Amino acid sequence: SKADYAYVLRGLQHLSEDGTMAVMLPTGALFRSATEGEIRKYLLEKKNIHAVISLPQGARNYMAIYTVLLIFKQKKSDKILFIDASRDGVKNATRLKQNFLTEEGFAKMLHTYRN
């Protein structure tokens, strides 16, 4: 009933051999069972997932939900980097359910990913 992984698989299908794809999904996409669980298992076995980055609550669509940024590459990787940036957000003064990733938080997340 969810199309999160249909979007991911379609993107991977068009990703160049040396390309990188970042997809923002609700955190729930990491834990749903049934077909989505099988797709996650497939992606783990193919070793396409390079990083999982948790973002501050409300960082997407003005909704108070947690989201993750998944980094995919065609190049295989035996390791997955997990980054918790969920505490690096600040509240939006006009939209209380929305948080923004601070510049320092973004820089820290980028530095961690690159190094």
Side-chain angles (χ1 to χ4, degrees):
S1 67
K2 308 286 189 261
D4 296 328
Y5 284 101
Y7 177 71
V8 169
L9 292 173
R10 182 74 171 158
L12 280 173
Q13 195 175 28
H14 294 285
L15 193 60
S16 66
E17 193 169 309
D18 61 340
T20 300
M21 177 176 76
V23 178
M24 186 185 295
L25 298 174
T27 303
L30 299 177
F31 304 103
R32 293 185 202 121
S33 58
T35 304
E36 286 190 342
E38 293 298 316
I39 294 170
R40 280 193 312 277
K41 181 179 176 183
Y42 168 79
L43 292 171
L44 287 169
E45 288 170 353
K46 284 194 58 139
K47 301 178 181 181
N48 289 117
I49 303 173
H50 282 245
V52 177
I53 304 169
S54 63
L55 298 174
Q57 181 182 19
R60 176 183 174 194
N61 297 334
Y62 307 108
M63 298 170 61
I65 62 171
Y66 285 94
T67 54
V68 292
L69 192 60
L70 300 177
I71 309 297
F72 295 91
K73 294 185 179 194
Q74 290 290 16
K75 181 181 173 189
K76 309 289 187 231
S77 175
D78 289 332
K79 297 180 181 180
I80 299 174
L81 176 64
F82 289 88
I83 300 173
D84 183 4
S86 63
R87 294 185 188 99
D88 295 327
V90 294
K91 289 241 180 254
N92 180 342
T94 58
R95 295 181 187 242
L96 298 179
K97 291 184 178 182
Q98 183 183 25
N99 290 311
F100 293 107
L101 191 61
T102 63
E103 282 191 42
E104 292 117 12
F106 181 77
K108 184 170 76 172
M109 178 183 67
L110 193 58
H111 175 76
T112 303
Y113 178 74
R114 287 181 173 165
N115 296 305

